[in-house]
Amino acid sequence: MASIVKSGNAKWEGSLKEGKGHVSTQSGVLSDQPYGFNTRFEGKEGTNPEELIGAAHASCFSMALSMILGQSDLTPDSIETKAEVHLEEKDGGFHVPKVHLTVEASIPGASQEDFDKAAKTAKENCPISKLLTAEITMDAKLV
């Protein structure tokens, strides 16, 4: 199967604290949404990389869980997932040491054991979970 490629892009102007940026997605669902130091660290209106990763991880996990349940002939009525992305200061910089998933699901006919096993498998195998340890490559050009 050919690789499926999706993209997001961002434009940044100015210094870290006074600058501003806009982020968009290939589909156009996000289009020129503002982000900046104040939206990331000061709770101002706009988005930030951590919440975008959280939304991506929560949606990917929910889809993976649905697929895994389906392999056992279980169809969820609903799966609600929240992904809390932790941004912490370390050694003079910032890093994301963990993501915590909180999941509530309604699955007719599923036992707790069925659910626990499927959720663990989804957590370990959804593509975004795997992304968080992926190789990152880059092309960079000064213009």
Side-chain angles (χ1 to χ4, degrees):
M1 175 180 187
S3 180
I4 297 171
V5 179
K6 303 292 182 184
S7 66
N9 61 312
K11 181 175 183 179
W12 183 264
E13 298 170 337
S15 67
L16 173 63
K17 288 193 176 182
E18 290 77 29
K20 62 182 177 179
H22 289 88
V23 63
S24 299
T25 58
Q26 176 182 345
S27 68
V29 170
L30 289 179
S31 180
D32 290 325
Q33 291 300 303
Y35 77 102
F37 185 89
N38 60 357
T39 64
R40 193 173 195 183
F41 298 104
E42 298 172 351
K44 300 294 182 186
E45 189 172 324
T47 191
N48 59 73
E50 292 73 33
E51 79 173 4
L52 295 171
I53 290 170
H57 201 178
S59 59
C60 182
F61 170 86
S62 295
M63 291 177 73
L65 180 55
S66 177
M67 179 194 74
I68 292 161
L69 290 166
Q71 292 169 350
S72 297
D73 295 323
L74 295 168
T75 302
D77 284 342
S78 68
I79 299 170
E80 293 187 34
T81 306
K82 178 180 183 178
E84 295 174 313
V85 178
H86 294 249
L87 178 67
E88 297 178 1
E89 196 167 2
K90 180 181 180 184
D91 300 328
F94 288 88
H95 74 127
V96 176
K98 68 180 177 178
V99 176
H100 179 76
L101 300 173
T102 302
V103 186
E104 290 186 9
S106 173
I107 310 160
S111 68
Q112 187 66 49
E113 183 180 351
D114 294 335
F115 175 70
D116 291 345
K117 182 179 176 189
K120 181 178 185 292
T121 301
K123 178 182 75 73
E124 293 170 353
N125 293 291
C126 92
I128 300 300
S129 288
K130 291 178 179 182
L131 165 72
L132 300 177
T133 59
E135 170 189 7
I136 299 172
T137 62
M138 179 173 68
D139 292 320
K141 176 174 68 170
L142 180 63
V143 293

